[in-house]
Amino acid sequence: MSLHRLASVTIGVPNPELTSAYYEDFGLTRHTDGWFSTSHGGRQLRLVHAPTRRLLEVSIAADSPDDLRAIASRLARLGIEASVGDARMVAVEPATKVTVEVTVGSRITPPAIPAVRFNGPGRDERGPARAPAVLREGPVRPRKLGHVVIGSVDQAATQRFFTDGIGLKVSDELVGVATFMRCSTDHHNILVQAAPVNFVHHTSWQVDDVDEVGRGAMQMLEGNPERHVWGLGRHTIGSNFFWYLKDPAGNFTEYYSDLDCIVEDALWKPEVWDGTRAHSFSTWGPPLPPSFIEPEDLAAMMTGTHSAG
């Protein structure tokens, strides 16, 4: 695949300073220009002021200028104009009005994190020692931005833009709800769900393992229980452990680990899952809250009365 990673997202919020403090607590490194960095992915989140919370820009990395010209050509066949140069291609997704850029960039090979040894039936891999996770201290630091979920008033058109135009591949589909698409070896980097209004549903951030998912969430909830949305659990589609929280503007954020990896496309078979079954969302964990599918501020965004929480 010539595309190789989700590079960054820009999100507009009514309250940038308050929201920035949240993402510092979340474990991202804050810069003075509105950008936030992860430990492996670099500058991957930018917050800017906007009247309502919304996704403004998505950046995807590709291997060469030829990839950019091929994308621009495919978009033209869809009737979508693109600006293309030697290192950057820019187009606007018509349904959501999200600006999507594809830039030429080198591939990032993150350092391998040593596997955690677990004891289990008939095996004592850890030996005569306490579990390392119980000895961990300090804040949890996300390794990279894994994916962004977009609510679209025309889900089919937005999906077509990303697959037939940009070149993302479909990993799985939750019928009537969402499509999981990838621009890397991760199971999904962009997910588009049907919605009554265009909005950003959540961003998802990789941590080392399920203990870091739990530790990160508990650190975020200490003194701020209103941040909790859903978790701890394990998703069925994508297989990852998850815990969702909510920033002050109303955007959901996810700590995740152990996501499915699709290194060889021929070995992966996309499936269509039943969007009416709770098991399609998670194999275990707390019940799916209705506000996860349709956040509580959607009505306000539809009527133009949304404001900072």
Side-chain angles (χ1 to χ4, degrees):
M1 177 184 284
S2 59
L3 305 177
H4 55 82
R5 73 184 184 108
L6 175 62
S8 67
V9 293
T10 297
I11 298 176
V13 296
N15 44 8
E17 187 58 35
L18 184 62
T19 307
S20 292
Y22 170 94
Y23 285 97
E24 282 190 282
D25 290 347
F26 193 77
L28 303 183
T29 300
R30 183 178 182 180
H31 302 278
T32 57
D33 56 0
W35 281 94
F36 293 80
S37 294
T38 58
S39 61
H40 290 170
R43 292 156 67 94
Q44 295 202 276
L45 170 67
R46 181 171 58 140
L47 296 179
V48 299
H49 181 267
T52 62
R53 68 180 185 91
R54 61 180 298 242
L55 182 65
L56 298 174
E57 298 180 10
V58 171
S59 181
I60 295 169
D63 286 328
S64 75
D66 289 341
D67 299 324
L68 307 187
R69 290 186 283 271
I71 293 169
S73 178
R74 292 196 299 268
L75 289 172
R77 289 196 290 271
L78 296 176
I80 299 170
E81 183 179 354
S83 171
V84 61
D86 289 337
R88 184 172 182 257
M89 189 285 311
V90 180
V92 176
E93 195 286 302
T96 61
K97 309 303 180 187
V98 172
T99 298
V100 177
E101 72 163 11
V102 182
T103 60
V104 175
S106 59
R107 295 181 178 239
I108 294 177
T109 302
I113 305 299
V116 178
R117 296 180 180 274
F118 292 98
N119 290 339
R123 70 182 197 277
D124 56 350
E125 297 174 356
R126 196 169 70 237
R130 298 186 190 278
V134 306
L135 304 176
R136 294 176 187 170
E137 297 179 349
V140 171
R141 300 296 186 191
R143 300 295 182 178
K144 70 173 183 178
L145 170 64
H147 58 265
V148 60
V149 175
I150 307 168
S152 172
V153 295
D154 190 340
Q155 196 270 350
T158 303
Q159 176 180 332
R160 187 164 55 250
F161 172 90
F162 281 108
T163 54
D164 297 354
I166 302 298
L168 274 68
K169 298 181 180 181
V170 173
S171 299
D172 282 304
E173 181 180 354
L174 195 56
V175 65
V177 179
T179 302
F180 298 73
M181 299 172 288
R182 66 187 186 276
C183 60
S184 71
T185 57
D186 289 343
H187 176 273
H188 56 284
N189 302 108
I190 292 178
L191 186 153
V192 178
Q193 70 174 59
V197 63
N198 297 320
F199 76 108
V200 54
H201 184 277
H202 75 265
T203 55
S204 186
W205 305 84
Q206 183 189 58
V207 293
D208 292 355
D209 53 35
V210 65
D211 286 292
E212 294 300 90
V213 172
R215 285 203 325 117
M218 295 307 295
Q219 290 172 359
M220 290 293 289
L221 294 175
E222 186 175 355
N224 297 280
E226 74 284 354
R227 290 173 169 176
H228 175 73
V229 176
W230 184 31
L232 173 71
R234 183 152 201 159
H235 278 309
T236 306
I237 305 175
S239 303
N240 54 291
F241 296 106
F242 68 84
W243 199 320
Y244 294 89
L245 304 145
K246 183 167 63 175
D247 75 19
N251 305 299
F252 298 161
T253 57
E254 177 190 13
Y255 288 118
Y256 80 90
S257 69
D258 195 25
L259 183 73
D260 287 336
C261 185
I262 306 175
V263 176
E264 179 54 61
D265 293 340
L267 300 179
W268 183 265
K269 180 183 177 182
E271 294 189 29
V272 178
W273 301 77
D274 188 344
T276 66
R277 295 181 178 273
H279 181 73
S280 297
F281 291 89
S282 64
T283 59
W284 58 262
L288 175 69
S291 61
F292 182 77
I293 300 299
E294 294 190 358
E296 296 170 350
D297 62 350
L298 282 193
M301 285 194 285
M302 292 174 67
T303 59
T305 58
H306 176 273
S307 61

